[in-house]
Amino acid sequence: MSTLRFNAIKKSLKRKPILVKEKQRRSEIFGANVFNESTMRQYLTKDAFGSVIDAIQHGKKIERIVADHISTGMKEWAISKGATHYTHWFQPLTGATAEKHDAFFETIEGGLAIERFEGGQLVQQEPDASSFPNGGIRNTFEARGYTAWDPTSPAFIYGTTLCIPTVFVSYTGEALDYKTPLLRALLAVDNAAVAVCKYFDKNVKKVNASLGWEQEYFLIDRDLAASRPDIVQTGRTLLGHSPAKGQQLDDHYFGTIPNRAMSFMMDLETECMLLGIPVKTRHNEVAPNQFELAPIYEEANLAVDHNSLLMDVMEKIADRHNFKVLFHEKPFAGVNGSGKHNNWSLSTDTGVNLLSPGKTPMSNLQFLTFFINTIKAVHENEELLRAAIASASNDHRLGANEAPPAIISVFIGEQLTKTLNELENVTRGKLSPEEKTDLKLNVVGKIPDVLLDNTDRNRTSPFAFTGNKFEFRAVGSTANCANPMTVLNSIVAKQLIDFKEEVDALIDNKDMKKDDAVFNVLREYIKQSKNILFEGNGYGEAWEKEAKKRGLSNNKTAPEALKAKVSKKTIALFEELGVMNKVESEARYDIEIDEYALRIQIEGRVLGDIARNHVVPTAVKYQNVLIENVKGLKEIYGNDFKKFAKEQLNLIEQISDNIEAINSNVTKMTAERKKANKIEDAEKKAIVYCNKVKPLFDDIRYYCDKLELLVDDELWPLTKYRELLFTK
């Protein structure tokens, strides 16, 4: 095994950057492989084009006869770009994307063949749904599931395949994917936000949620990664001693991008441009061999699709450059993990960002309305928001090495806190003309100056306001953004609906003017939501105690956190908005809690295998070398040999102690795993894996890492942290 390690190191050290030339301006190739509006104008009839635009902008249904025209134009475009196959591209609850490729090719009479792609094939397909996670929605023998075209996310060509973004539902109509509930949530927040916008601008007809994700990842040489069974099977290292130098010098963050990594990034960004993914920012992250990629913000549904596509593309491009890309939230102990910050905002069809202060008191009152309602939504649903980012892998990251804690709080900055404090003192009921003027000029009117440099000072906050958006930092790097975005848009939609009802009630029943009613409701929301606001350090016992006093949840593990997804409150919320019914909510919980147990089970098996089949035999081999050395010293020095063999004998004993501890803990872990596997209830099984099996990982790792420091480096079989993290 050590031979595999050293061969991998030799290969990695000989790597040269693959030459990547950017021959064209990015603006010239952007979206070249996307069936976007510009391309549709060329390949569709006027009626077909109008039908697609109506579907995108107004949610209107596309008639089947029109779908035939669209499919013909889409096929001709795809073939002209070299495509030979098509697929319905969807996002099942596996966390990955799915696709089944069919050729345009069909035979006809006379032994001839044609390319065919009709409206029925574009609009709907029936893949076998039996092997996808369903949470009990359908039985194995009921294999029917349907994929249906989502015209709001344009089709694209990757390789030689036309990929058509679709939703994925069961035979009875329940969502089996991430996209369907997201689209429903986006519709809910659109309707709710438009209704509130009417207080300020009667011309607003549509509100879009925007998303800008920041994808963090590690780039590890492919052969080095392949030499580690834990990375291959779990996506992270289950053992390995920290190197002498890690990230403590802060010399990697924003440093010069290594040549091989730069070649990978250039290649990746070219592919992204062709696919219409508007990537803009690239840089070194804090940990060695950790990087970040971020795009220009887009409409949330499209942004989610682009992030899922990006992760697929990154893995393929990484392989081309002899890299392995690691998306796991915590692939290496002792250095920063990887997140996927979700930057979220709401924008109107009139071009206004509702979370960006304006130039007039009226536009600032609109900003405060959406700003405060978002804070209120988070306060009322902080457990659900925590559940939206819960996973076995993200548990390793939250609360460690600059990652946000598991306690959800909102950071808004000192100056905005002062603004809310002033609004909290607004007179109950009707406002006097003098008070209203003072509010508009001296409180609401001064917000633009406040925001220039007084937000985003707290990197530990899981949900921070950063000037014109909220940044949900607790999302993990492996996550499908649809999960947190479905929750966030849903809770904000519900909050805006409640807000409008309260304001309308004051206007109708208390004879208040609109501004008075808005100020009165916002004042109460500020009072009710103060406990969620936190400007301090999110780490440590002090904040945990303070959070407990405030009534905030502290669900440190996924099994604890996920329960919020099936609470009566959550089910009622989703059902009221039409986002998910009770069956869909419960199914997702079952899938995620089952996945948690399976991931810990897999990691336990891999760790046990490595500990007993790699680490222990290597330690015994080195121990035998030491024993032979001691025997030789005894032959030479006789009874005085202990004076010369003191350190060797000490090493022999230490190795034996560590081997014994490893075997003992692996035996305990295996026994606990067997007990857990007999539990039929998925929730109870996950809790046992969390509380009984997983804690033994650290014990096993501790003694394995001790042996790594004791055993001859020439014998050690597992590629070490210094080699994984510092081979560029």
Side-chain angles (χ1 to χ4, degrees), residues 308-558:
S308 295
L309 175 58
L310 172 91
M311 293 171 76
D312 284 346
V313 174
M314 285 178 75
E315 290 183 337
K316 293 172 182 175
I317 301 297
D319 190 62
R320 189 187 299 170
H321 288 260
N322 297 304
F323 279 124
K324 171 75 174 174
V325 60
L326 302 182
F327 291 116
H328 194 285
E329 282 81 354
K330 197 72 174 176
F332 302 100
V335 296
N336 278 20
S338 296
K340 183 162 15 198
H341 297 186
N342 278 208
N343 295 277
W344 172 87
S345 190
L346 295 171
S347 300
T348 70
D349 57 350
T350 58
V352 176
N353 178 351
L354 296 171
L355 289 174
S356 181
K359 296 180 180 179
T360 65
M362 178 59 74
S363 60
N364 279 338
L365 182 56
Q366 179 175 259
F367 156 71
L368 282 171
T369 296
F370 284 90
F371 176 69
I372 294 169
N373 270 280
T374 302
I375 294 171
K376 179 75 158 50
V378 175
H379 178 263
E380 296 300 315
N381 300 277
E382 45 95 9
E383 280 200 275
L384 179 56
L385 210 55
R386 166 68 179 93
I389 49 94
S391 68
S393 52
N394 208 23
D395 277 1
H396 294 287
R397 167 179 167 261
L398 295 177
N401 292 93
E402 291 191 12
I407 303 167
I408 299 297
S409 63
V410 179
F411 174 84
I412 61 173
E414 182 181 348
Q415 293 302 320
L416 275 172
T417 299
K418 288 181 180 178
T419 300
L420 296 195
N421 289 339
E422 292 184 51
L423 287 173
E424 188 181 346
N425 297 318
V426 168
T427 301
R428 184 181 295 274
K430 294 182 180 180
L431 277 66
S432 67
E434 292 80 11
E435 183 177 10
K436 193 181 296 185
T437 299
D438 181 64
L439 270 174
K440 288 184 176 180
L441 292 179
N442 297 321
V443 180
V444 178
K446 289 186 177 180
I447 289 173
D449 295 331
V450 165
L451 293 186
L452 288 177
D453 55 15
N454 284 290
T455 60
D456 192 27
R457 297 297 190 215
N458 190 337
R459 300 303 297 173
T460 67
S461 174
F463 198 86
F465 184 69
T466 56
N468 58 4
K469 64 190 185 302
F470 279 99
E471 185 175 356
F472 192 11
R473 295 181 177 137
V475 182
S477 50
T478 60
N480 185 311
C481 296
N483 206 348
M485 283 297 103
T486 296
V487 169
L488 181 55
N489 285 288
S490 295
I491 65 176
V492 171
K494 168 62 175 167
Q495 182 54 50
L496 290 172
I497 290 169
D498 292 347
F499 171 77
K500 188 172 189 305
E501 287 179 358
E502 292 184 52
V503 170
D504 286 349
L506 290 178
I507 294 171
D508 297 338
N509 302 330
K510 301 291 184 180
D511 195 29
M512 281 192 192
K513 291 184 178 180
K514 178 199 69 181
D515 287 2
D516 292 3
V518 168
F519 275 125
N520 269 267
V521 175
L522 291 181
R523 180 196 63 233
E524 295 306 308
Y525 283 1
I526 292 168
K527 291 179 180 179
Q528 294 163 12
S529 305
K530 290 186 93 170
N531 283 344
I532 201 72
L533 299 176
F534 182 61
E535 308 296 305
N537 187 340
Y539 298 137
E541 292 183 9
W543 168 229
E544 290 188 13
K545 289 179 181 177
E546 173 64 21
K548 188 175 182 180
K549 287 181 184 177
R550 297 184 183 198
L552 302 179
S553 65
N554 184 15
N555 297 320
K556 293 185 177 181
T557 67

Side-chain angles (χ1 to χ4, degrees), residues 76 234 383 394 528 612 628 659 682 711 722:
E76 292 304 316
T234 72
E383 280 200 275
N394 208 23
Q528 294 163 12
R612 280 188 166 158
E628 289 301 315
I659 288 173
V711 172
R722 67 170 183 263

Side-chain angles (χ1 to χ4, degrees), residues 20-22 26 213-217 219 252-273 278-286 290-296 310 314:
V20 177
K21 290 185 178 180
E22 295 183 330
R26 296 191 171 194
W213 39 262
E214 301 169 23
Q215 182 69 60
E216 294 177 344
Y217 60 97
L219 272 184
H252 189 258
Y253 189 56
F254 278 26
T256 302
I257 299 172
N259 291 336
R260 283 183 64 202
M262 179 61 83
S263 293
F264 159 80
M265 291 177 182
M266 290 170 64
D267 204 357
L268 172 64
E269 289 170 6
T270 297
E271 290 287 349
C272 287
M273 289 298 107
V279 294
K280 186 174 179 67
T281 302
R282 64 190 183 202
H283 64 82
N284 290 0
E285 258 300 333
V286 175
Q290 186 187 32
F291 306 94
E292 182 180 295
L293 170 73
I296 296 170
L310 172 91
M314 285 178 75

Side-chain angles (χ1 to χ4, degrees), residues 90 92-94 97-99 127-135 138 168 176:
F90 57 103
L93 299 173
T94 57
T97 57
E99 50 196 62
D128 183 347
S130 61
S131 295
F132 289 112
N134 61 80
R138 37 152 301 285
F168 181 43
L176 294 173

Side-chain angles (χ1 to χ4, degrees), residues 34 46 134 146 148 150 192 196 236 251 304 391 424 426 435 528 601 616 618 622 695:
V34 180
K46 185 177 180 180
N134 61 80
Y146 294 107
D150 170 21
V196 173
R236 76 179 183 104
D251 54 349
V304 168
S391 68
E424 188 181 346
V426 168
E435 183 177 10
Q528 294 163 12
Q601 180 191 76
V616 169
T618 302
Y622 181 56

Side-chain angles (χ1 to χ4, degrees), residues 612-716:
R612 280 188 166 158
N613 295 333
H614 296 70
V615 174
V616 169
T618 302
V620 169
K621 185 183 291 186
Y622 181 56
Q623 193 177 47
N624 288 337
V625 171
L626 293 172
I627 290 170
E628 289 301 315
N629 178 262
V630 171
K631 285 180 179 179
L633 290 172
K634 188 174 183 180
E635 286 180 11
I636 296 171
Y637 295 104
N639 292 334
D640 292 334
F641 82 96
K642 287 186 179 180
K643 183 170 67 172
F644 302 98
K646 181 180 177 182
E647 292 302 322
Q648 292 91 321
L649 290 168
N650 185 35
L651 273 173
I652 290 168
E653 288 181 14
Q654 287 185 60
I655 290 170
S656 291
D657 290 344
N658 285 304
I659 288 173
E660 182 185 0
I662 290 168
N663 280 323
S664 173
N665 282 295
V666 170
T667 299
K668 285 181 191 175
M669 180 187 68
T670 304
E672 292 293 348
R673 208 170 61 229
K674 286 179 178 178
K675 289 179 187 176
N677 291 340
K678 291 178 182 178
I679 301 171
E680 292 187 6
D681 182 272
E683 181 180 310
K684 291 179 180 177
K685 180 187 285 189
I687 291 170
V688 171
Y689 262 106
C690 179
N691 297 333
K692 297 292 185 181
V693 178
K694 186 182 170 187
L696 290 165
F697 290 6
D698 291 337
D699 295 333
I700 296 167
R701 177 175 192 148
Y702 175 80
Y703 294 108
C704 288
D705 290 354
K706 281 279 192 180
L707 285 176
E708 182 182 328
L709 294 180
L710 297 175
V711 172
D712 183 357
D713 184 64
E714 291 289 327
L715 297 178
W716 193 254

